[in-house]
């Protein structure tokens, strides 16, 4: 099967979500630019928030007011990531943005979370020929991803959802739910919101569904 005869560049194919080959000079230059900015950002001091913010704004496609991402941060291109306002990502976020990654407002992301848009063909011949593709990830407003969560290509997580530590999210999650496990499954809905809601809204100790099911420290 021939995939390279339609006249598009590999970057155009990648951004369209079609099969493409990553070993391409144009894509390599975009990745080198991201790597330079990423290395500079990860080397910044917490005592220099202005420089940290300036580099983050150059690296990402958009970053909202009051958002903080603690280094180290790892990306592929950076420019395909958009983060809303007042969001927070703890140490070790990996956001492989071969396709777009959209993170809403007021999102909380624990340590060592992975947002993984790339995917590879099941067909062994295509995979051996180094074709790959990607699908976008969307994280809704006010979502909490516990430490070690992995979100796979093509997944949308609805607003206010809580995902327990270590969960692997393989399918879309609706708004206002708590999900946990591998693969992540909805374990209950969130019936109360606001500062007076108590444990039913989720706490660092977990959302009340039993040991090991909570978001964990974030």
């Amino acid at each position: 099967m021939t995939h390279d005869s339609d006249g598009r560049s590999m970057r155009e194919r990648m951004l369209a979500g079609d099969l493409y080959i990553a070993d391409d000079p144009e894509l390599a230059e975009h990745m080198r630019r991201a790597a330079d900015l990423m290395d500079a950002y990860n080397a910044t001091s917490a005592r220099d928030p202005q420089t940290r913010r300036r580099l983050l704004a150059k690296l990402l496609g958009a970053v909202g007011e009051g958002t903080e991402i603690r280094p180290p941060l790892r990306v592929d291109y950076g420019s395909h990531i958009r983060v809303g306002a007042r969001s927070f990502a703890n140490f070790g976020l990996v956001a492989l943005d071969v396709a777009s990654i959209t993170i809403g407002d007021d999102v909380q992301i624990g340590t060592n979370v992975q947002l993984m848009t790339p995917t590879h063909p099941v067909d062994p011949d295509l995979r051996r020929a180094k074709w790959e593709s990607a699908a976008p990830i969307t994280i809704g407003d006010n979502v909490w991803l516990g430490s070690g969560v992995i979100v796979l290509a093509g997944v949308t997580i609805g607003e206010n959802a809580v995902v327990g530590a270590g969960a692997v999210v393989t399918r879309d999650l609706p708004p206002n739910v708590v999900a946990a496990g591998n693969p992540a499954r909805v374990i209950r809905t969130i019936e109360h919101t606001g500062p007076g809601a108590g444990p039913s809204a989720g706490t660092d100790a977990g959302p009340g569904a039993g040991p090991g099911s909570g978001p964990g420290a974030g």
Side-chain angles (χ1 to χ4, degrees):
M1 184 183 297
T2 301
H3 293 273
D4 57 354
S5 59
D6 63 4
R8 292 180 295 167
S9 70
M10 289 299 164
R11 178 172 168 78
E12 288 170 333
R13 296 181 66 92
M14 182 187 80
L15 294 176
D18 295 330
L19 288 170
Y20 78 102
I21 293 177
D23 185 13
D24 172 79
E26 181 185 11
L27 292 175
E29 179 55 34
H30 281 277
M31 292 187 77
R32 283 191 291 266
R33 174 189 178 275
D36 289 342
L37 288 168
M38 184 171 56
D39 289 347
Y41 179 76
N42 289 336
T44 57
S45 168
R47 298 181 184 277
D48 190 2
Q50 292 81 11
T51 297
R52 182 172 286 185
R53 176 72 186 192
R54 175 179 59 81
L55 289 168
L56 188 64
K58 290 182 68 175
L59 176 61
L60 303 187
V63 56
E65 190 69 27
T67 284
E68 179 183 357
I69 299 177
R70 287 181 171 178
L73 167 66
R74 302 295 178 190
V75 302
D76 274 334
Y77 299 97
S79 57
H80 307 144
I81 300 171
R82 305 181 67 85
V83 187
R86 302 174 304 279
S87 290
F88 173 77
N90 216 324
F91 305 111
L93 174 63
V94 176
L96 300 189
D97 58 320
V98 176
S100 64
I101 296 176
T102 304
I103 299 171
D105 298 335
D106 303 299
V107 173
Q108 299 288 320
I109 297 176
T111 55
N112 299 316
V113 166
Q114 300 178 53
L115 309 177
M116 313 296 282
T117 70
T119 186
H120 298 272
V122 173
D123 185 311
D125 294 327
L126 292 177
R127 196 166 64 251
R128 185 176 293 110
K130 307 307 180 187
W131 291 97
E132 57 186 87
S133 61
I137 288 172
T138 300
I139 310 297
D141 293 344
N142 204 37
V143 165
W144 177 13
L145 304 179
S147 294
V149 165
I150 299 174
V151 181
L152 299 187
V155 165
T156 293
I157 298 178
E159 64 179 358
N160 302 321
V162 175
V163 183
V168 180
V169 187
T170 62
R171 298 181 179 180
D172 292 355
L173 295 177
N176 303 301
V177 299
V178 175
N182 180 9
R185 302 181 189 281
V186 173
I187 56 178
R188 66 184 179 89
T189 60
I190 298 171
E191 299 178 354
H192 304 282
T193 59
S200 62
T203 71
D204 279 349
S213 64

